[in-house]
Amino acid sequence: MDILKKIEQYRSQEEKLRWEGTFADYLELIKEKPWVAQSAHSRIYNMIKDAGVEEENGHKEYRFFSHELFGLEEALEKLVEEYFHPAAKRLDVRKRILLLMGPVSGGKSTIVTMLKRGLEAYSRTDRGAIFAIKGCPMHEDPLHLIPQHLRADFQQEYGIKIEGNLSPLNTMRLEEEYGGRIEDVLVERIFLSEDKRVGIGTFSPSDPKSQDIADLTGSIDFSTIAEYGSESDPRAYRFDGELNKANRGLMEFQEMLKCDEKFLWHLLSLTQEGNFKAGRFALISADELIVAHTNETEYRSFIANKKNEALHSRIIVMPVPYNLKVSQEERIYEKMIRDSDVADVHIAPHTLRVAAMFTVLTRLKEPKRGDIDLLKKMRLYDGENVEGYNSSDLNELKKEYQDEGMSGIDPRYVINRISSTIIRKNVPSINALDVLRSLKEGLDQHPSITQELREKYLNFISIARKEYDELAKKEVQKAFVYSYEESAKTLMDNYLDNVEAFCNKSKLKDPLTGEEISPDEKLMRSIEEQIGISENAKKAFREEILIRISALARKGKKFDYRSHARLREAIQKKLFADLKDVVKITTSAKTPDEQQLKKINEVVARLIDEHGYNSTSANELLRYVGSLLNR
């Protein structure tokens, strides 16, 4: 019953949104709400902007895309700021076809689909409301009714510029149905819908020999010619091509670059002049975004053909590369799994991260700088702190290659291999090793991977495996620490007491005997050496810690071991190092004694409760780490 109630509510909301009135009523409406008369490009830009914009480090992130597209922030910022924004301001950019170019499964189709679904929803809001001449198959802008000689006066009074001419059909209807009285022409609110072919169209070329240009521009209805007497009578014409139906919104031109030339000719005048030729009529005005998508190889082939030169200047190419951030790649996999039928299968922690590492490594190009390897580059791209490097190094790396991210392994391949692992293993849990094994096996079956690439990719699988080994060891060692936070705090307090005494050249009091003792240099160095602090650098590091404590104290904040990233890492590594032998003995014992069994059960429980494992994956992790520590 709930779903039926929701359907009823939706229907009643739709009814409330409906509006119908005369052209005179419409003019009163746009006085009150001038944004109603915006262009298609302006509406799309405002739709994206109204969803919210976040600014960080001088870059904009658009919430409109953020729940579906991950790691494409820079490409999307360029798309919005270099195409939609100037197009919304009626600059020449709007007279261009938007061509999204990028590798397969990179997000091009998703961008177009989001724009379509977004427009459908936005046209039902106050800010995105669209009005059209009632009964018009092309949902024509009512302002086209204003004669050319009055448009300057209209702009002066209303502040709205009118572009485009009244269509042949509405010109005839104005005379025959309304006796030339523009103010009486009926206007209605329309809601964009791809399914109902209102303001959103999709053109997909088929066999050039059988496809008709009518699919784009409409066709003559031969059954009505006897009634109306002429092919040039607009009532004898079906205005049902994709360019007609997409008016006021968006048309997706699928496989545009593979299309026959005769279909592309119509786009020349539509993009430049905002009109196209159909039947035996004057040019028909259309206000719509034409968006197409292709891959790099097809685009290079297209521009190499001299016949296409006229169209080159009417296309704006927006690169949509693969995501190059490991954390965002993880989110892509999580979304794809969530949308699939295997969402109930337990995927052990770090599994998707390790797969993402491999994938991103295949997309990155070798740094030209000798002091940065591919692994450091991957970490810098993902926003990690890499010692000795900063944001200027990151910007320098990004400028090295213009086409980075245009090749490599696509997300669908990884999801296919994860699915294959789940089906083949037929258990309710999979881990990183299962997926890496499946990715490796799949390389032989991938049709576009050469032997040279295969060798390169196998090396990336090895790198990802080594990264997983470190993650796995840390996870288990952390789980072995009883009351980890308490142990870390105790060790840190001890370290800070000694650091303070060292820097102030003072003594410490022994808590048992009360006698004065010198700072414990051995303890301090055992922690500092975990993160490579040299003998010469120890004084500067200790003083930096004291400065940080003072700075936080001035702000009324308390320093803890997480307040300093490098100290946190040092404390963790020291605790892990002290526990290594305990972990090794406990995880590798074939017949653990009662004490060891108790410890293992505690660790398994902690891995399940605090780290997101289930019983199967936790035990598999312990066995694997035991084998690693025994090597």
Side-chain angles (χ1 to χ4, degrees):
M1 282 301 292
D2 283 348
I3 193 67
L4 292 176
K5 279 180 183 173
K6 285 177 181 175
I7 290 168
E8 192 180 332
Q9 281 172 3
Y10 178 78
R11 194 164 51 238
S12 71
Q13 283 169 359
E14 195 98 328
E15 284 303 316
K16 283 178 189 171
L17 290 174
R18 292 193 187 282
W19 184 94
E20 188 178 305
T22 63
F23 183 66
D25 297 329
Y26 177 67
L27 289 181
E28 288 302 313
L29 183 71
I30 60 173
K31 264 186 183 174
E32 185 188 334
K33 301 175 179 179
W35 64 83
V36 161
Q38 65 190 323
S39 67
H41 287 84
S42 175
R43 191 172 292 106
I44 292 170
Y45 172 67
N46 285 326
M47 168 185 76
I48 295 168
K49 196 177 68 167
D50 289 353
V53 186
E54 289 176 5
E55 209 159 333
E56 194 176 335
N57 301 326
H59 288 288
K60 290 179 180 175
E61 187 176 333
Y62 296 91
R63 284 189 203 152
F64 178 83
F65 299 107
S66 60
H67 64 286
E68 286 284 333
L69 293 163
F70 309 108
L72 294 180
E73 294 83 12
E74 288 177 26
L76 292 169
E77 182 181 13
K78 189 177 179 186
L79 171 64
V80 176
E81 293 303 316
E82 293 185 18
Y83 183 80
F84 286 124
H85 193 177
K89 300 286 185 188
R90 295 184 187 270
L91 293 169
D92 219 42
V93 171
R94 73 199 166 98
K95 297 178 179 179
R96 308 285 179 270
I97 297 163
L98 174 61
L99 180 65
L100 305 176
M101 181 184 71
V104 294
S105 191
K108 305 183 299 296
S109 300
T110 306
I111 291 172
V112 179
T113 302
M114 288 186 77
L115 292 174
K116 287 179 178 178
R117 297 296 84 81
L119 276 173
E120 288 177 342
Y122 195 61
S123 69
R124 285 162 172 77
T125 67
D126 188 53
R127 288 271 299 159
I130 309 173
F131 295 81
I133 296 172
K134 189 176 181 184
C136 173
M138 283 183 60
H139 344 288
E140 189 167 6
D141 185 347
L143 294 182
H144 286 180
L145 290 160
I146 304 276
Q148 289 286 348
H149 67 280
L150 293 177
R151 289 187 177 183
D153 295 340
F154 178 84
Q155 187 173 354
Q156 196 171 358
E157 186 180 343
Y158 286 81
I160 296 167
K161 186 178 180 182
I162 303 171
E163 291 181 325
N165 300 315
L166 197 60
S167 66
L169 180 62
N170 285 324
T171 302
M172 178 177 276
R173 287 180 64 207
L174 177 62
E175 293 305 319
E176 295 197 358
E177 292 179 31
Y178 298 100
R181 289 181 58 81
I182 291 168
E183 62 271 33
D184 293 341
V185 174
L186 288 177
V187 174
E188 65 178 349
R189 182 172 180 179
I190 60 167
F191 306 109
L192 301 193
S193 167
E194 185 174 19
D195 293 340
K196 295 176 181 176
R197 300 186 76 211
V198 178
I200 297 175
T202 303
F203 180 77
S204 185
S206 55
D207 180 6
K209 291 175 185 173
S210 62
Q211 187 144 28
D212 191 350
I213 197 71
D215 294 345
L216 263 186
T217 60
S219 60
I220 295 164
D221 185 350
F222 289 101
S223 66
T224 61
I225 289 176
E227 183 184 346
Y228 298 119
S230 168
E231 288 183 17
S232 59
D233 190 311
R235 292 169 299 180
Y237 197 85
R238 290 196 189 109
F239 293 89
D240 61 356
E242 292 304 320
L243 290 178
N244 307 102
K245 291 297 182 183
N247 186 34
R248 313 297 301 285
L250 172 156
M251 190 191 88
E252 178 186 7
F253 208 128
Q254 294 178 347
E255 305 295 347
M256 187 185 86
L257 303 188
K258 290 178 182 172
C259 210
D260 191 68
E261 289 170 19
K262 66 181 179 181
F263 290 95
L264 300 180
W265 292 335
H266 282 275
L267 301 181
L268 294 177
S269 75
L270 178 60
T271 51
Q272 195 59 40
E273 308 300 334
N275 50 43
F276 62 92
K277 191 84 173 83
R280 297 178 182 179
F281 307 117
L283 291 167
I284 296 173
S285 297
D287 171 30
E288 58 198 79
L289 161 68
I290 307 288
V291 59
H293 37 93
T294 187
N295 59 49
E296 201 171 0
T297 309
E298 278 179 6
Y299 178 68
R300 301 285 168 225
S301 167
F302 175 76
I303 59 172
N305 187 346
K306 295 289 181 187
K307 285 183 183 178
N308 299 324
E309 277 184 356
L311 207 56
H312 294 176
S313 62
R314 291 179 169 88
I315 290 175
I316 281 199
V317 180
M318 283 289 162
V320 183
Y322 281 134
N323 156 60
L324 298 175
K325 295 176 182 175
V326 172
S327 56
Q328 296 298 314
E329 191 71 13
E330 265 190 280
R331 291 181 70 191
I332 293 171
Y333 302 156
E334 283 166 3
K335 176 183 171 289
M336 292 171 91
I337 289 167
R338 201 166 49 242
D339 295 343
S340 73
D341 289 335
V342 294
D344 57 335
V345 174
H346 175 76
I347 297 174
H350 309 304
T351 300
L352 299 182
R353 180 165 187 78
V354 171
M357 283 179 186
F358 161 71
T359 314
V360 170
L361 285 169
T362 69
R363 298 169 184 171
L364 292 174
K365 291 183 180 280
E366 282 289 344
K368 292 176 182 176
R369 284 173 54 170
D371 62 330
I372 297 180
D373 61 20
L374 213 55
L375 206 55
K376 281 180 183 170
K377 183 177 182 177
M378 179 189 81
R379 289 192 172 121
L380 282 167
Y381 272 28
D382 202 31
E384 288 185 42
N385 288 320
V386 178
E387 193 178 347
Y389 301 97
N390 55 35
S391 57
S392 61
D393 295 300
L394 176 61
N395 293 333
E396 192 182 319
L397 283 170
K398 287 181 177 178
K399 287 174 186 171
E400 283 185 343
Y401 299 98
Q402 293 300 310
D403 61 341
E404 191 166 48
M406 286 293 183
S407 60
I409 292 288
D410 64 281
R412 283 188 199 134
Y413 170 77
V414 177
I415 290 299
N416 289 346
R417 298 316 303 167
I418 289 173
S419 303
S420 171
T421 306
I422 290 167
I423 302 302
R424 190 172 64 245
K425 201 176 177 194
N426 197 26
V427 291
S429 172
I430 62 165
N431 60 37
L433 294 176
D434 296 326
V435 172
L436 285 175
R437 202 175 297 118
S438 184
L439 287 169
K440 185 178 178 181
E441 290 167 4
L443 294 177
D444 292 328
Q445 302 158 23
H446 202 296
S448 61
I449 294 178
T450 61
Q451 186 59 32
E452 185 185 346
L453 265 182
R454 186 176 177 277
E455 294 301 320
K456 192 177 174 183
Y457 289 175
L458 285 173
N459 180 45
F460 292 149
I461 286 175
S462 299
I463 292 171
R465 166 79 180 269
K466 284 175 189 166
E467 289 295 299
Y468 174 65
D469 289 352
E470 289 306 309
L471 286 169
K473 280 190 276 190
K474 279 184 182 178
E475 197 91 298
V476 170
Q477 288 166 338
K478 190 186 281 189
F480 261 87
V481 178
Y482 181 73
S483 185
Y484 176 74
E485 294 291 322
E486 203 55 44
S487 304
K489 186 178 182 304
T490 305
L491 184 57
M492 186 204 71
D493 288 342
N494 200 354
Y495 173 76
L496 291 180
D497 288 343
N498 282 279
V499 163
E500 194 174 355
F502 170 84
C503 291
N504 295 332
K505 296 184 173 57
S506 59
K507 299 271 186 182
L508 289 163
K509 268 193 179 180
D510 188 301
L512 292 175
T513 63
E515 65 180 297
E516 289 192 334
I517 53 172
S518 297
D520 189 342
E521 185 64 24
K522 190 177 177 184
L523 170 78
M524 290 187 286
R525 292 302 294 142
S526 71
I527 290 169
E528 291 156 0
E529 282 168 355
Q530 299 295 332
I531 51 169
I533 303 290
S534 67
E535 187 69 29
N536 292 334
K538 70 181 184 185
K539 187 170 182 286
F541 180 74
R542 292 169 189 176
E543 287 171 348
E544 184 203 325
I545 297 286
L546 282 189
I547 290 167
R548 182 72 64 87
I549 292 171
S550 301
L552 285 170
R554 279 199 304 274
K555 293 175 185 173
K557 294 179 183 176
K558 198 170 185 299
F559 183 93
D560 68 21
Y561 88 98
R562 286 165 299 193
S563 302
H564 193 286
R566 297 191 69 210
L567 179 59
R568 177 180 62 195
E569 186 186 350
I571 296 283
Q572 286 177 350
K573 283 186 173 179
K574 171 64 177 159
L575 284 170
F576 294 162
D578 293 347
L579 276 165
K580 188 173 180 180
D581 290 336
V582 179
V583 176
K584 195 170 168 182
I585 293 162
T586 312
T587 54
S588 58
K590 287 182 182 175
T591 52
D593 59 32
E594 191 180 336
Q595 191 62 31
Q596 287 171 335
L597 198 61
K598 185 185 174 191
K599 192 71 180 169
I600 286 172
N601 289 336
E602 279 180 13
V603 170
V604 168
R606 200 165 289 123
L607 286 169
I608 293 168
D609 295 341
E610 297 175 19
H611 299 279
Y613 289 82
N614 70 358
S615 178
T616 307
S617 60
N619 280 292
E620 284 175 346
L621 178 73
L622 281 178
R623 282 196 296 275
Y624 180 62
V625 170
S627 71
L628 284 178
L629 295 174
N630 274 309
R631 282 178 193 172

